[in-house]
Amino acid sequence: MSAGGGKKAIIAALTANAGIAAAKFIGAAITGSASMLAEGVHSVADTANQGLLLFGQSRANQEATQLHPFGYGRNRYFYSFVVALVLFTLGSVYAVYEGIHKIQHPEDLSSPIVAVVILVVAIGLETFSFLTAVRESRPLKGTASWWRFIRNSRSPELPVVLLEDTGALIGLIFALLGVGLTWITGNPVFDGIGTLAIGALLGVIAIVLIVEMQSLLIGEGATPEQDRAIRAGLVDNNRIDRVIHLKTQYLGPEELLVAAKVAIVPNLDIEAIAAAIDEAEARVRAAVPEARVIYLEPDLYRTPAAAG
């Protein structure tokens, strides 16, 4: 993911959510709708989340130091993980609590048409944010499914924004159904049910994000496609005839560490070995541009019998 592409989707989501949050709180104050209030809290959480993602990108751009010689790229994973926690604590827990409270103690809505109009406008704004994230994600997604893109992406921001916007759109529909059914039937319990559904939805999305971001934060290796490309790039079938072992790990969304022991054919002098290593590094970087940090150890391949 290019930094510009990710930032464009984040800014679009932040702008939409900030405006939507203000409108929802005004609507909740006018109508007394729990669904509107829960959605307002949801939009505040989303706005804070986009701010955290932008802050994480800024922190990730710091120069490497002696204390952090591989740089600060994982800040993007850390702040994306914090985003998942914020979505859960501020959005899901509050909405579930408010939904249960409104079901147990239902209250009539006043001016429900105001809530309906605000929710319809909010759906339009969220759709704009969602389509921006989809457009920015397509080049990275390729032919893979959206679920596979979210699971396999090593860049955290676009999957986070995609899931947030998807949850926001579905949540708005739940809120619209809750307010609409309350208006039509005169039974305010539907507003509480809509609020509870929003909380459950946010909880599911937060858990998915927490699992994915925790995995990235601990450290994930190259994708299977990248692993095959790295192995193919290391071997030239001339001076390097096989990969003895290979380990990879993402230091940040666009920086992959590659460490490998490669088998050198016998009887090469030191200059030939050095040239072979340099050329192997160049081939790997050409095949996998994210492979920016490469450590190769030359060795002679020995079969288990010979080694014994």
Side-chain angles (χ1 to χ4, degrees):
M1 179 188 72
S2 66
K7 187 169 291 186
K8 183 176 180 180
I10 295 169
I11 291 174
L14 187 150
T15 304
N17 282 317
I20 291 169
K24 287 175 181 175
F25 281 124
I26 293 171
I30 294 173
T31 63
S33 168
S35 294
M36 286 290 291
L37 187 59
E39 274 297 302
V41 173
H42 177 192
S43 292
V44 168
D46 282 353
T47 304
N49 290 345
Q50 273 89 58
L52 285 170
L53 292 177
L54 290 173
F55 184 69
Q57 285 192 345
S58 175
R59 295 284 293 173
N61 290 331
Q62 296 177 95
E63 294 294 329
T65 63
Q66 185 174 1
L67 183 62
H68 297 281
F70 289 110
Y72 292 82
R74 284 191 181 175
N75 269 306
R76 287 167 66 179
Y77 297 148
F78 172 75
Y79 284 99
S80 296
F81 182 76
V82 173
V83 161
L85 294 178
V86 170
L87 184 65
F88 179 75
T89 55
L90 286 185
S92 177
V93 173
Y94 177 80
V96 169
Y97 165 78
E98 188 68 16
I100 293 173
H101 176 74
K102 289 297 182 180
I103 291 173
Q104 294 175 338
H105 308 284
E107 299 176 8
D108 292 331
L109 302 183
S110 59
S111 303
I113 185 62
V114 174
V116 170
V117 171
I118 290 174
L119 288 170
V120 170
V121 172
I123 288 173
L125 291 173
E126 284 289 1
T127 299
F128 163 74
S129 174
F130 176 75
L131 292 177
T132 301
V134 168
R135 185 168 58 252
E136 296 295 322
S137 301
R138 284 193 187 280
L140 293 177
K141 183 181 80 72
T143 58
S145 67
W146 285 106
W147 178 244
R148 185 180 177 189
F149 168 68
I150 290 169
R151 291 297 309 273
N152 292 342
S153 176
R154 300 304 191 261
S155 298
E157 291 89 355
L158 284 175
V160 168
V161 173
L162 277 170
L163 281 175
E164 277 189 353
D165 286 349
T166 300
L169 281 172
I170 298 174
L172 285 167
I173 293 171
F174 285 159
L176 188 60
L177 286 172
V179 172
L181 288 173
T182 296
W183 186 14
I184 293 170
T185 64
N187 185 353
V189 169
F190 286 111
D191 185 41
I193 294 173
T195 308
L196 189 60
I198 292 168
L201 171 69
L202 293 181
V204 170
I205 291 175
I207 290 171
V208 171
L209 284 176
I210 287 171
V211 170
E212 292 303 314
M213 294 307 118
Q214 180 258 0
S215 180
L216 288 171
L217 188 59
I218 290 174
E220 291 188 358
T223 65
E225 294 81 4
Q226 290 173 330
D227 185 273
R228 287 192 291 270
I230 291 169
R231 291 178 182 275
L234 289 173
V235 176
D236 64 4
N237 294 315
N238 181 19
R239 291 167 295 184
I240 301 177
D241 60 6
R242 74 183 68 205
V243 176
I244 299 174
H245 64 71
L246 169 68
K247 292 186 183 296
T248 61
Q249 187 172 93
Y250 268 90
L251 304 174
E254 287 134 12
E255 188 171 30
L256 179 65
L257 168 67
V258 176
K261 178 179 284 191
V262 294
I264 302 291
V265 299
N267 304 319
L268 290 182
D269 60 32
I270 188 66
E271 290 185 3
I273 294 174
I277 293 298
D278 290 342
E279 291 171 13
E281 290 182 2
R283 289 193 300 272
V284 169
R285 289 193 175 98
V288 183
E290 294 88 349
R292 298 182 183 178
V293 182
I294 303 176
Y295 297 107
L296 300 182
E297 178 185 352
D299 198 356
L300 294 176
Y301 179 76
R302 299 176 178 83
T303 64

